[in-house]
Amino acid sequence: MSPFTGSAARTPSWEHLRVELSDGVATVTLARPEKLNALTFGAYADLRDLLAELSRERSVRALVLAGEGRGFCSGGDVDEIIGATLSMDTAQLLDFNRMTGQVVRAVRECPFPVIAAVQGVAAGAGAVLALAADFRVADPTARFAFLFTRVGLSGGDMGAAYLLPRVVGLGHATRLLMLGDPVRAPEAERIGLISELTEEGQADETAQQLAHRLAQGPALAYAQTKALLTSELDMPLAASLELDASTQALLMTGEDYAEFHAAFTEKRPPKWSGR
């Protein structure tokens, strides 16, 4: 995303999220523990807008998405979203569903790695938010459930039918999206849905450790790697090879590439600038 901003100032606080910034790491916490961090219209909109703001800031190099309490996110709030959508017309429903998709797109397209720290339930939209992240760090209490067919809707919500087969394969994705059965941590790790399985209660700490490791690394290289992973999902090999070549040629003119050579020559660790 472009770093150039208009006249609007940075949002000083967020009503539906808790946001903390430290040493290049943004920690975004869904903070409705009494509702297992169920999402509201405002929470979706805050996530969409926050990710856009952080993407324009060069200070953010990694983001941890977490849930407060005993669950990651139980999905859309039954009363505040599902109940409300029953009285919406088609245009309003389309606006809402486009907004949820914009959140997933923002997670995939932001120029820094996103790590989901999952404990307890990640259901419905919560499961898709975790799926959209670059890394899913989970403890043994984690369970993922794509519940959309359970409420009479398509399992392909918020990009799930696009993302899930690419993470776990078509066979597992078909089962998870059609049946909506919960996937507990051991199976999630076996099929590749979890990036790292931690000891119980350690998902947040492990996610923070990974985020700080990433924040101290070559940020531009990470950003371009993420962009290529997303862009090349549907490209033929020839187009992917050309895009790889163009990207590498650009990065070879960067400060970090020269810094690696200097550090190697001087037998010291590189000092990455993200340029």
Side-chain angles (χ1 to χ4, degrees):
M1 293 188 180
S2 170
F4 302 108
T5 60
S7 56
R10 175 180 172 184
T11 306
S13 63
W14 299 88
E15 181 180 352
H16 304 283
L17 308 168
R18 188 167 68 247
V19 181
E20 301 164 274
L21 302 174
S22 175
D23 299 326
V25 174
T27 302
V28 179
T29 306
L30 306 173
R32 297 182 77 205
E34 73 284 358
K35 291 285 189 80
L36 289 175
N37 303 312
L39 297 166
T40 63
F41 294 119
Y44 277 116
D46 270 4
L47 278 170
R48 175 199 61 195
D49 296 344
L50 170 65
L51 287 164
E53 284 195 16
L54 295 180
S55 294
R56 293 190 294 266
E57 295 185 6
R58 298 305 190 199
S59 59
V60 176
R61 294 195 169 195
L63 183 146
V64 174
L65 180 62
E68 183 178 330
R70 59 191 177 90
F72 175 71
C73 175
S74 59
D77 189 288
V78 173
D79 296 322
E80 295 191 38
I81 288 187
I82 296 178
T85 54
L86 294 175
S87 62
M88 291 182 178
D89 61 28
T90 303
Q92 292 171 317
L93 291 169
L94 185 57
D95 282 344
F96 165 62
N97 282 284
R98 282 175 172 163
M99 176 175 69
T100 65
Q102 288 164 357
V103 174
V104 170
R105 185 172 177 179
V107 173
R108 292 303 317 142
E109 294 184 354
C110 62
F112 41 76
V114 176
I115 303 141
V118 183
Q119 79 287 338
V121 65
V128 183
L129 285 178
L131 176 64
D134 301 291
F135 300 88
R136 283 161 296 285
V137 175
D139 81 1
T141 68
R143 61 190 188 279
F144 300 82
F146 298 87
L147 298 175
F148 306 107
T149 61
R150 297 286 186 95
V151 302
L153 296 177
S154 164
D157 194 52
M158 295 174 63
Y162 178 89
L163 292 170
L164 192 58
R166 290 163 169 81
V167 173
V168 302
L170 180 60
H172 290 306
T174 300
R175 172 172 59 92
L176 299 183
L177 294 183
M178 283 197 178
L179 300 179
D181 291 340
V183 180
R184 299 189 179 275
E187 182 188 1
E189 183 183 33
R190 178 177 63 81
I191 65 177
L193 186 55
I194 288 176
S195 308
E196 182 175 354
L197 184 61
T198 75
E199 298 294 327
E200 186 167 345
Q202 295 299 307
D204 286 340
E205 181 179 342
T206 303
Q208 287 290 333
Q209 291 171 352
L210 176 56
H212 281 83
R213 173 185 171 184
L214 290 163
Q216 293 166 10
L220 187 57
Y222 291 154
Q224 292 307 113
T225 301
K226 177 173 180 172
L228 292 181
L229 284 167
T230 299
S231 299
E232 294 184 18
L233 284 173
D234 299 312
M235 282 186 180
L237 177 59
S240 293
L241 290 171
E242 181 61 24
L243 184 56
D244 285 354
S246 300
T247 300
Q248 295 296 56
L250 287 171
L251 290 177
M252 285 174 177
T253 68
E255 294 178 14
D256 279 348
Y257 186 64
E259 166 60 13
F260 166 77
H261 183 263
F264 181 83
T265 302
E266 298 167 15
K267 296 181 173 55
R268 60 172 174 81
K271 298 177 182 177
W272 305 114
S273 67
R275 297 178 180 275

